[in-house]
Short mmCIF file of all heavy atoms in Angstrom, two decimals:
data_model
loop_
_atom_site.label_atom_id
_atom_site.label_comp_id
_atom_site.label_asym_id
_atom_site.label_seq_id
_atom_site.Cartn_x
_atom_site.Cartn_y
_atom_site.Cartn_z
N LYS A 27 166.78 59.43 -45.61
CA LYS A 27 166.78 58.40 -46.65
C LYS A 27 165.62 58.55 -47.63
O LYS A 27 165.75 58.20 -48.80
CB LYS A 27 166.81 56.99 -46.06
CG LYS A 27 165.53 56.52 -45.43
CD LYS A 27 165.68 55.09 -44.95
CE LYS A 27 164.33 54.55 -44.56
NZ LYS A 27 164.25 53.12 -44.73
N GLY A 28 164.53 59.12 -47.22
CA GLY A 28 163.39 59.33 -48.10
C GLY A 28 163.64 60.39 -49.17
O GLY A 28 162.91 60.47 -50.15
N LEU A 29 164.69 61.18 -49.00
CA LEU A 29 165.01 62.23 -49.97
C LEU A 29 165.81 61.70 -51.17
O LEU A 29 165.93 62.39 -52.18
CB LEU A 29 165.82 63.34 -49.29
CG LEU A 29 165.15 64.03 -48.11
CD1 LEU A 29 166.11 65.00 -47.44
CD2 LEU A 29 163.89 64.74 -48.56
N ILE A 30 166.34 60.50 -51.04
CA ILE A 30 167.16 59.93 -52.12
C ILE A 30 166.24 59.42 -53.22
O ILE A 30 165.28 58.69 -52.96
CB ILE A 30 168.06 58.81 -51.57
CG1 ILE A 30 169.11 59.41 -50.63
CG2 ILE A 30 168.72 58.03 -52.70
CD1 ILE A 30 170.02 58.41 -49.98
N LEU A 31 166.57 59.82 -54.44
CA LEU A 31 165.80 59.35 -55.59
C LEU A 31 166.05 57.86 -55.79
O LEU A 31 167.17 57.38 -55.66
CB LEU A 31 166.21 60.10 -56.86
CG LEU A 31 165.84 61.57 -56.94
CD1 LEU A 31 166.40 62.17 -58.23
CD2 LEU A 31 164.35 61.74 -56.89
N ASP A 32 165.00 57.15 -56.14
CA ASP A 32 165.11 55.73 -56.43
C ASP A 32 165.48 55.56 -57.90
O ASP A 32 164.93 56.24 -58.76
CB ASP A 32 163.77 55.04 -56.13
CG ASP A 32 163.89 53.54 -56.11
OD1 ASP A 32 164.13 52.96 -57.19
OD2 ASP A 32 163.75 52.94 -55.04
N GLY A 33 166.41 54.68 -58.20
CA GLY A 33 166.88 54.46 -59.57
C GLY A 33 165.80 54.00 -60.52
O GLY A 33 165.98 54.06 -61.74
N THR A 34 164.67 53.53 -60.00
CA THR A 34 163.61 53.06 -60.89
C THR A 34 162.98 54.19 -61.70
O THR A 34 162.27 53.91 -62.66
CB THR A 34 162.51 52.30 -60.11
OG1 THR A 34 162.00 53.15 -59.09
CG2 THR A 34 163.05 51.03 -59.49
N ILE A 35 163.26 55.43 -61.36
CA ILE A 35 162.74 56.51 -62.19
C ILE A 35 163.47 56.54 -63.54
O ILE A 35 162.95 57.06 -64.51
CB ILE A 35 162.82 57.90 -61.50
CG1 ILE A 35 164.27 58.31 -61.22
CG2 ILE A 35 161.99 57.93 -60.24
CD1 ILE A 35 164.42 59.74 -60.74
N PHE A 36 164.66 55.95 -63.60
CA PHE A 36 165.42 55.87 -64.85
C PHE A 36 165.25 54.52 -65.53
O PHE A 36 165.33 54.42 -66.74
CB PHE A 36 166.91 56.13 -64.59
CG PHE A 36 167.17 57.46 -63.96
CD1 PHE A 36 167.55 57.56 -62.63
CD2 PHE A 36 167.00 58.63 -64.68
CE1 PHE A 36 167.79 58.78 -62.04
CE2 PHE A 36 167.22 59.87 -64.09
CZ PHE A 36 167.62 59.93 -62.77
N PHE A 37 165.09 53.49 -64.71
CA PHE A 37 164.95 52.12 -65.22
C PHE A 37 163.64 51.54 -64.71
O PHE A 37 163.55 51.12 -63.57
CB PHE A 37 166.12 51.25 -64.75
CG PHE A 37 167.44 51.65 -65.32
CD1 PHE A 37 168.30 52.47 -64.61
CD2 PHE A 37 167.83 51.19 -66.57
CE1 PHE A 37 169.53 52.84 -65.14
CE2 PHE A 37 169.06 51.55 -67.10
CZ PHE A 37 169.90 52.38 -66.39
N LYS A 38 162.65 51.52 -65.56
CA LYS A 38 161.33 51.03 -65.14
C LYS A 38 161.38 49.56 -64.72
O LYS A 38 160.56 49.11 -63.95
CB LYS A 38 160.32 51.20 -66.29
CG LYS A 38 160.16 52.66 -66.72
CD LYS A 38 159.67 53.53 -65.59
CE LYS A 38 159.52 54.96 -66.05
NZ LYS A 38 159.73 55.93 -65.04
N LYS A 39 162.37 48.83 -65.23
CA LYS A 39 162.50 47.41 -64.90
C LYS A 39 162.99 47.20 -63.47
O LYS A 39 162.85 46.13 -62.92
CB LYS A 39 163.47 46.76 -65.89
CG LYS A 39 163.67 45.29 -65.68
CD LYS A 39 164.72 44.73 -66.61
CE LYS A 39 165.03 43.30 -66.20
NZ LYS A 39 166.27 42.82 -66.73
N GLY A 40 163.57 48.19 -62.87
CA GLY A 40 164.16 48.06 -61.54
C GLY A 40 163.14 47.80 -60.44
O GLY A 40 161.93 47.83 -60.65
N TYR A 41 163.65 47.56 -59.27
CA TYR A 41 162.85 47.25 -58.09
C TYR A 41 162.88 48.46 -57.16
O TYR A 41 163.93 48.81 -56.64
CB TYR A 41 163.45 46.02 -57.40
CG TYR A 41 162.72 45.56 -56.17
CD1 TYR A 41 161.77 44.55 -56.24
CD2 TYR A 41 163.01 46.10 -54.92
CE1 TYR A 41 161.12 44.10 -55.10
CE2 TYR A 41 162.36 45.67 -53.78
CZ TYR A 41 161.43 44.66 -53.88
OH TYR A 41 160.78 44.22 -52.76
N SER A 42 161.75 49.09 -56.96
CA SER A 42 161.69 50.27 -56.10
C SER A 42 161.93 49.87 -54.65
O SER A 42 161.33 48.93 -54.14
CB SER A 42 160.33 50.96 -56.22
OG SER A 42 160.25 52.01 -55.28
N LYS A 43 162.83 50.61 -54.01
CA LYS A 43 163.13 50.36 -52.61
C LYS A 43 162.64 51.49 -51.71
O LYS A 43 163.12 51.68 -50.61
CB LYS A 43 164.64 50.12 -52.44
CG LYS A 43 165.08 48.78 -53.02
CD LYS A 43 166.54 48.66 -53.21
CE LYS A 43 167.11 49.54 -54.27
NZ LYS A 43 166.57 49.48 -55.62
N LYS A 44 161.66 52.25 -52.21
CA LYS A 44 161.09 53.34 -51.40
C LYS A 44 160.27 52.81 -50.23
O LYS A 44 160.03 53.50 -49.26
CB LYS A 44 160.22 54.26 -52.27
CG LYS A 44 161.04 55.24 -53.10
CD LYS A 44 161.66 56.29 -52.21
CE LYS A 44 162.33 57.37 -52.99
NZ LYS A 44 163.04 58.31 -52.14
N GLY A 45 159.82 51.57 -50.35
CA GLY A 45 159.04 50.96 -49.28
C GLY A 45 158.95 49.47 -49.50
O GLY A 45 159.30 48.96 -50.58
N LEU A 46 158.51 48.77 -48.49
CA LEU A 46 158.36 47.32 -48.60
C LEU A 46 157.26 46.98 -49.61
O LEU A 46 156.27 47.70 -49.72
CB LEU A 46 158.00 46.72 -47.24
CG LEU A 46 159.11 46.72 -46.20
CD1 LEU A 46 158.56 46.21 -44.87
CD2 LEU A 46 160.29 45.90 -46.65
N HIS A 47 157.43 45.87 -50.30
CA HIS A 47 156.44 45.40 -51.26
C HIS A 47 155.53 44.37 -50.62
O HIS A 47 154.74 43.73 -51.30
CB HIS A 47 157.14 44.80 -52.48
CG HIS A 47 157.88 45.82 -53.30
ND1 HIS A 47 157.66 46.00 -54.63
CD2 HIS A 47 158.84 46.72 -52.96
CE1 HIS A 47 158.45 46.97 -55.09
NE2 HIS A 47 159.17 47.42 -54.08
N GLY A 48 155.66 44.19 -49.34
CA GLY A 48 154.88 43.22 -48.59
C GLY A 48 155.65 42.85 -47.34
O GLY A 48 156.81 43.23 -47.18
N THR A 49 155.02 42.11 -46.46
CA THR A 49 155.68 41.75 -45.20
C THR A 49 155.88 40.24 -45.07
O THR A 49 156.32 39.77 -44.02
CB THR A 49 154.88 42.27 -44.00
OG1 THR A 49 153.54 41.78 -44.08
CG2 THR A 49 154.88 43.79 -43.96
N LYS A 50 155.56 39.50 -46.13
CA LYS A 50 155.81 38.06 -46.09
C LYS A 50 157.31 37.81 -46.20
O LYS A 50 158.06 38.66 -46.69
CB LYS A 50 155.06 37.37 -47.23
CG LYS A 50 153.56 37.45 -47.07
CD LYS A 50 152.85 36.71 -48.17
CE LYS A 50 151.36 36.78 -47.87
NZ LYS A 50 150.56 36.75 -49.05
N SER A 51 157.73 36.65 -45.76
CA SER A 51 159.14 36.31 -45.75
C SER A 51 159.78 36.49 -47.13
O SER A 51 160.85 37.07 -47.25
CB SER A 51 159.31 34.86 -45.28
OG SER A 51 160.66 34.51 -45.28
N ARG A 52 159.11 36.03 -48.18
CA ARG A 52 159.66 36.16 -49.54
C ARG A 52 159.82 37.62 -49.92
O ARG A 52 160.81 38.00 -50.54
CB ARG A 52 158.74 35.45 -50.53
CG ARG A 52 159.06 35.77 -51.98
CD ARG A 52 159.43 34.54 -52.78
NE ARG A 52 159.64 34.84 -54.18
CZ ARG A 52 160.83 35.10 -54.70
NH1 ARG A 52 161.90 35.10 -53.95
NH2 ARG A 52 160.96 35.34 -55.98
N ASP A 53 158.86 38.47 -49.58
CA ASP A 53 158.94 39.90 -49.88
C ASP A 53 160.18 40.51 -49.23
O ASP A 53 160.89 41.32 -49.84
CB ASP A 53 157.70 40.64 -49.38
CG ASP A 53 156.41 40.15 -50.02
OD1 ASP A 53 156.42 39.83 -51.22
OD2 ASP A 53 155.40 40.09 -49.29
N LEU A 54 160.43 40.15 -47.98
CA LEU A 54 161.57 40.68 -47.25
C LEU A 54 162.89 40.18 -47.82
O LEU A 54 163.87 40.94 -47.93
CB LEU A 54 161.47 40.34 -45.77
CG LEU A 54 160.24 40.90 -45.04
CD1 LEU A 54 160.18 40.38 -43.61
CD2 LEU A 54 160.23 42.41 -45.07
N ILE A 55 162.93 38.93 -48.23
CA ILE A 55 164.14 38.35 -48.81
C ILE A 55 164.47 39.04 -50.14
O ILE A 55 165.62 39.38 -50.41
CB ILE A 55 163.98 36.82 -48.99
CG1 ILE A 55 163.99 36.14 -47.61
CG2 ILE A 55 165.05 36.24 -49.90
CD1 ILE A 55 163.55 34.69 -47.62
N VAL A 56 163.46 39.26 -50.97
CA VAL A 56 163.67 39.94 -52.25
C VAL A 56 164.11 41.39 -52.01
O VAL A 56 165.04 41.88 -52.66
CB VAL A 56 162.40 39.88 -53.13
CG1 VAL A 56 162.52 40.80 -54.35
CG2 VAL A 56 162.14 38.45 -53.57
N PHE A 57 163.48 42.06 -51.07
CA PHE A 57 163.87 43.45 -50.76
C PHE A 57 165.34 43.50 -50.34
O PHE A 57 166.11 44.33 -50.82
CB PHE A 57 162.97 44.02 -49.67
CG PHE A 57 163.15 45.51 -49.45
CD1 PHE A 57 162.28 46.40 -50.05
CD2 PHE A 57 164.17 46.00 -48.66
CE1 PHE A 57 162.44 47.78 -49.86
CE2 PHE A 57 164.34 47.36 -48.46
CZ PHE A 57 163.47 48.25 -49.07
N ALA A 58 165.74 42.59 -49.45
CA ALA A 58 167.13 42.55 -48.98
C ALA A 58 168.08 42.27 -50.15
O ALA A 58 169.15 42.88 -50.25
CB ALA A 58 167.29 41.49 -47.88
N ALA A 59 167.70 41.36 -51.03
CA ALA A 59 168.53 41.06 -52.20
C ALA A 59 168.67 42.29 -53.09
O ALA A 59 169.75 42.58 -53.62
CB ALA A 59 167.94 39.89 -52.99
N GLU A 60 167.60 43.03 -53.25
CA GLU A 60 167.66 44.23 -54.09
C GLU A 60 168.50 45.33 -53.46
O GLU A 60 169.08 46.15 -54.15
CB GLU A 60 166.25 44.72 -54.42
CG GLU A 60 165.48 43.80 -55.37
CD GLU A 60 166.07 43.71 -56.77
OE1 GLU A 60 166.92 44.55 -57.16
OE2 GLU A 60 165.69 42.79 -57.51
N THR A 61 168.61 45.35 -52.13
CA THR A 61 169.51 46.32 -51.49
C THR A 61 170.96 45.95 -51.81
O THR A 61 171.81 46.83 -51.94
CB THR A 61 169.33 46.40 -49.96
OG1 THR A 61 169.73 45.19 -49.34
CG2 THR A 61 167.91 46.77 -49.57
#
């Protein structure tokens, strides 16, 4: 999965899913929504 390019390289506005943006509940909820 780490070999897949993240779409944010084309759209700077996007949300990178290469890694978590934090471990708080809100961070996880946003990450899941972005998936």
Side-chain angles (χ1 to χ4, degrees):
K27 74 177 191 151
L29 301 174
I30 293 177
L31 291 176
D32 193 292
T34 56
I35 63 171
F36 302 108
F37 294 96
K38 300 299 180 211
K39 181 185 171 198
Y41 181 95
S42 174
K43 289 164 292 305
K44 281 289 187 186
L46 290 175
H47 292 236
T49 56
K50 294 182 177 151
S51 179
R52 168 120 176 94
D53 300 322
L54 299 175
I55 290 167
V56 170
F57 189 98
E60 291 294 345
T61 67

